[in-house]
Amino acid sequence: MPGDDLYPPFLKHRNISRIEGNVLYITDRRKLPFSHEEVACRSASEAASAIKDMVTQGGGPLEVALNALLLTYRNGDDVEEAVRVLAASRPTNTTMSRTLCGIMERYRSGEDMEELVAGTFSYYDRLYDAVSDTGSSLISDGDGILTRCFPEHTFLLSVYKAARDGRRAVVYVPETRPYLQGARLTEPSLRALGIECYLITDAMNAHLMAEGKVDKVMTAADLVLSDRTVVNKVGTLSDAVTARYYGIPYYAFCLSPDTSRTADDIVMEERDGEEVKRMMGVRTASDDAVALYPAFDMIRPELVSGIITREGVI
Amino acid sequence: MPGDDLYPPFLKHRNISRIEGNVLYITDRRKLPFSHEEVACRSASEAASAIKDMVTQGGGPLEVALNALLLTYRNGDDVEEAVRVLAASRPTNTTMSRTLCGIMERYRSGEDMEELVAGTFSYYDRLYDAVSDTGSSLISDGDGILTRCFPEHTFLLSVYKAARDGRRAVVYVPETRPYLQGARLTEPSLRALGIECYLITDAMNAHLMAEGKVDKVMTAADLVLSDRTVVNKVGTLSDAVTARYYGIPYYAFCLSPDTSRTADDIVMEERDGEEVKRMMGVRTASDDAVALYPAFDMIRPELVSGIITREGVI
């Protein structure tokens, strides 16, 4: 049975979020791997605030939102309102909001909320398993793979399954400023899975490619549009453009393309530039400096070699 | 008269290094802009160790080495040995070692060491002035310019002179991990000169280019070979490659091309990966992580639109 057992520690469901009594505990990813702390939320709006504050990110908000919806239901609070505030907490990645809307539709037509949420968790476990089967099939023995940010279940399981089958890749992990998801989450997760990996700073992508160390670029995607436009952590566009120059393919993992939107009507989240002037609470620039923090890159289809889905590479 | 008066605070000679009595004080750039601390050196080998430890970098080692040589001479110590240890302290940037060798040649043929060192300082002041006249001429009003690391006198004076002449540029400054020279040195220096500038993380280069915000990429160069190959801070290759994709010119400033070397026989400094796992003394990754720190990129001539020299753009 695929799922939780295979996941590295930071991705086990209970280590992303968990309900105990009437409290939702969210693991504070900003503190990993140095300490395991949880943020306690008693309502969907508290959970939405935690998501906005980057307590969890990537695929984390989806699981948090499922648990927050369940808690709201168990408390007899307004589930419609819960879905509204949760969906608004991450405007760019629309997987969470589309998933919540799908649940609500079935809930309104009489299905049981407990079963809907449990079924959604196991749906994603099966989806991660299927998508990573596709991802694994792209990896050859000895591949050097550049990734970006925290590419979570699909990428991590892909390199894990490939290694299990005798095709061992080496992964290069940009630290991913300002929140250091690469340094703090991806690198330890790969190491926990027994994968050889090297931490680099964010602008070493072209350097490694020029040295011939990178055979593939593979990242998660916060959003994939039906025309194969990929939206992912800022820096991914730099990876895709440099990969194109060096003749290296760029692949993005996709859980579910968003067929309802085009590049013109998605919301590209701009976060507060002040976040760029700190690192784990330590000041890295003058207080008077003005910093920019566009959180996401949009990678046009001409730079994307393939989208890795449960149905194969498209 | 060009020179010290025009320089932003961090580049004034006395703020790079100074001799007082028989001690050479080097400003610790690792602490700027948060505190102004100096490292005291009593010999050329202590100065060489400080350079290796990144107490100063970029053009700093040149000025430190000149003062260290002068101090060695004044103390009656072995100047030949001083030049040897200083030249070995930064293997990639050869300007310092070539300058020291030139001084020694003239010293051996009877010239006065005090005058030789003073003359070299003013030679570089005039050179910075002339090169920045060329750089300034490339800047148009409203230009968005992406730089990298701390591009020092030539770039800073170029944007300053252009602005003085009514052609105001906006500069985007990558923070430049792991030492944050962009965040700590470049951004405050541009602000001190009255230039509009924005701090970004290291992999936002393509993002800004895709948005149409970047008209030129301009960096310093630790080394320029006679075939126009540029060596500069890691990340510069990513800038040059992404600029090429978006049709944006890449220019490097050059004080003196190294005509004695080709791309095959220069030493590309590999620093300790442990430096990537810290930021200003704070741990950013697991102790068990393995990090890479190739310090420099080599940018091949086909990616270089022009070398900015005292004689013009070549």
Side-chain angles (χ1 to χ4, degrees):
Chain A
M1 171 58 197
D4 217 51
D5 289 351
L6 275 188
Y7 301 157
F10 299 162
L11 288 179
K12 293 194 188 296
H13 295 306
R14 67 178 177 282
N15 290 337
I16 292 175
S17 71
R18 62 189 179 87
I19 296 176
E20 198 177 295
N22 58 354
V23 180
L24 168 61
Y25 293 95
I26 308 174
T27 295
D28 192 343
R29 286 192 177 177
R30 299 169 303 185
K31 307 286 175 65
L32 292 174
F34 307 115
S35 67
H36 185 262
E37 297 175 31
E38 293 180 315
V39 172
C41 299
R42 285 171 179 78
S43 67
S45 72
E46 284 183 23
S49 293
I51 292 170
K52 273 190 200 154
D53 291 344
M54 297 289 282
V55 171
T56 192
Q57 44 66 253
L62 170 67
E63 299 200 14
V64 167
L66 290 172
N67 277 332
L69 178 60
L70 191 59
L71 185 70
T72 306
Y73 166 76
R74 287 180 185 171
N75 287 347
D77 293 333
D78 185 345
V79 287
E80 302 281 354
E81 174 63 14
V83 166
R84 254 191 310 278
V85 299
L86 290 164
S89 65
R90 299 306 319 264
T92 303
N93 185 330
T94 60
T95 302
M96 183 239 289
S97 63
R98 285 179 291 136
T99 301
L100 294 177
C101 290
I103 290 174
M104 288 307 291
E105 210 165 289
R106 293 170 65 180
Y107 173 67
R108 283 185 217 107
S109 66
E111 292 191 47
D112 178 67
M113 182 61 87
E114 297 278 350
E115 280 172 25
L116 282 167
V117 169
T120 305
F121 269 106
S122 69
Y123 166 81
Y124 277 99
D125 283 336
R126 290 191 306 273
L127 183 58
Y128 297 149
D129 186 55
V131 173
S132 62
D133 280 343
T134 306
S136 168
S137 73
L138 286 170
I139 298 172
S140 304
D141 194 36
D143 267 357
I145 303 177
L146 175 70
T147 189
R148 178 72 58 180
C149 202
F150 185 34
E152 306 208 39
H153 308 78
T154 48
F155 175 72
L156 293 169
L157 290 181
S158 293
V159 288
Y160 173 78
K161 289 177 178 179
R164 190 189 55 189
D165 298 344
R167 303 187 312 280
R168 304 195 67 82
V170 175
V171 182
Y172 298 96
V173 184
E175 58 181 359
T176 315
R177 279 277 287 146
Y179 279 102
L180 296 170
Q181 291 94 336
R184 297 186 302 100
L185 304 174
T186 309
E187 193 281 333
S189 294
L190 285 163
R191 210 155 19 85
L193 293 173
I195 307 297
E196 184 180 347
C197 58
Y198 297 97
L199 183 65
I200 58 173
T201 62
D202 287 335
M204 290 182 188
N205 50 12
H207 186 100
L208 294 176
M209 292 179 195
E211 287 187 321
K213 286 187 176 157
V214 179
D215 300 290
K216 274 140 202 166
V217 176
M218 289 182 159
T219 72
D222 284 82
L223 187 66
V224 176
L225 305 179
S226 48
D227 70 353
R228 298 201 318 167
T229 293
V230 170
V231 176
N232 195 47
K233 185 69 179 178
V234 68
T236 308
L237 180 60
S238 180
D239 298 332
V241 167
T242 50
R244 172 57 50 97
Y245 182 79
Y246 289 102
I248 297 163
Y250 166 57
Y251 299 102
F253 288 87
C254 177
L255 297 178
S256 65
D258 187 337
T259 53
S260 67
R261 288 178 175 77
T262 67
D264 293 332
D265 58 9
I266 64 169
V267 180
M268 295 289 278
E269 185 178 353
E270 290 273 339
R271 296 185 63 86
D272 187 349
E274 292 297 307
E275 299 180 30
V276 169
K277 294 162 60 183
R278 296 281 182 283
M279 175 168 299
M280 301 179 64
V282 175
R283 196 163 61 142
T284 58
S286 304
D287 287 336
D288 293 337
V290 179
L292 306 178
Y293 184 8
F296 295 99
D297 273 337
M298 188 182 293
I299 301 100
R300 295 300 196 163
E302 58 268 26
L303 289 168
V304 181
S305 308
I307 305 289
I308 301 170
T309 72
R310 69 187 315 162
E311 287 87 22
V313 182
I314 53 171
Chain B
M1 169 58 197
D4 216 51
D5 288 352
L6 274 186
Y7 301 159
F10 299 161
L11 288 179
K12 293 195 188 295
H13 296 307
R14 67 178 177 282
N15 289 337
I16 292 176
S17 72
R18 63 191 179 86
I19 295 175
E20 199 178 294
N22 60 352
V23 179
L24 168 62
Y25 293 95
I26 308 173
T27 295
D28 192 342
R29 286 193 178 176
R30 298 170 303 187
K31 307 286 175 65
L32 293 173
F34 307 114
S35 67
H36 184 261
E37 297 175 32
E38 294 179 316
V39 173
C41 300
R42 285 170 179 79
S43 67
S45 71
E46 284 183 23
S49 293
I51 292 170
K52 273 190 201 155
D53 291 345
M54 298 289 284
V55 171
T56 192
Q57 44 66 253
L62 169 67
E63 299 201 14
V64 167
L66 290 172
N67 277 332
L69 178 61
L70 191 59
L71 185 70
T72 305
Y73 166 77
R74 287 181 184 170
N75 288 346
D77 293 334
D78 185 346
V79 288
E80 302 281 355
E81 174 63 16
V83 166
R84 252 191 311 280
V85 300
L86 289 164
S89 66
R90 299 304 323 261
T92 303
N93 185 330
T94 62
T95 301
M96 182 239 290
S97 63
R98 285 179 292 135
T99 302
L100 294 177
C101 291
I103 290 174
M104 289 306 292
E105 211 166 288
R106 293 169 65 181
Y107 173 69
R108 285 186 215 108
S109 65
E111 291 190 49
D112 178 67
M113 182 62 86
E114 297 279 350
E115 280 172 25
L116 281 168
V117 170
T120 304
F121 269 105
S122 69
Y123 166 80
Y124 276 100
D125 283 337
R126 291 192 305 276
L127 183 57
Y128 297 149
D129 186 54
V131 174
S132 62
D133 280 344
T134 305
S136 168
S137 74
L138 286 171
I139 298 173
S140 304
D141 194 35
D143 267 358
I145 303 177
L146 175 70
T147 190
R148 176 74 56 180
C149 201
F150 185 35
E152 307 209 39
H153 308 78
T154 48
F155 174 73
L156 294 170
L157 291 181
S158 293
V159 288
Y160 172 78
K161 288 177 178 179
R164 190 190 57 190
D165 298 345
R167 306 187 310 282
R168 304 195 66 82
V170 174
V171 183
Y172 298 96
V173 183
E175 58 180 0
T176 315
R177 278 276 288 145
Y179 280 101
L180 297 170
Q181 291 95 335
R184 297 185 302 101
L185 305 174
T186 309
E187 191 282 333
S189 294
L190 285 162
R191 209 154 21 84
L193 293 172
I195 307 298
E196 182 180 348
C197 58
Y198 297 96
L199 184 64
I200 59 173
T201 62
D202 286 335
M204 289 182 189
N205 50 12
H207 186 99
L208 295 176
M209 292 179 194
E211 286 187 321
K213 287 186 174 157
V214 179
D215 299 291
K216 274 140 200 163
V217 177
M218 289 182 159
T219 71
D222 284 81
L223 187 65
V224 176
L225 305 178
S226 48
D227 69 353
R228 298 202 317 167
T229 293
V230 171
V231 176
N232 195 47
K233 186 68 180 179
V234 68
T236 308
L237 180 59
S238 180
D239 298 332
V241 167
T242 49
R244 171 59 48 99
Y245 182 78
Y246 289 102
I248 297 163
Y250 165 58
Y251 298 102
F253 288 87
C254 177
L255 297 178
S256 66
D258 187 337
T259 53
S260 67
R261 288 178 175 75
T262 67
D264 292 333
D265 57 10
I266 63 168
V267 180
M268 294 290 278
E269 185 177 354
E270 290 273 338
R271 294 186 63 87
D272 187 348
E274 291 297 307
E275 298 180 30
V276 168
K277 294 161 59 181
R278 297 280 181 283
M279 175 168 299
M280 301 181 64
V282 176
R283 195 162 62 142
T284 58
S286 304
D287 286 336
D288 293 336
V290 180
L292 306 177
Y293 184 8
F296 294 99
D297 273 337
M298 186 182 292
I299 301 100
R300 296 300 198 163
E302 59 268 24
L303 288 169
V304 181
S305 308
I307 305 289
I308 301 169
T309 72
R310 67 187 314 161
E311 287 87 22
V313 181
I314 55 171

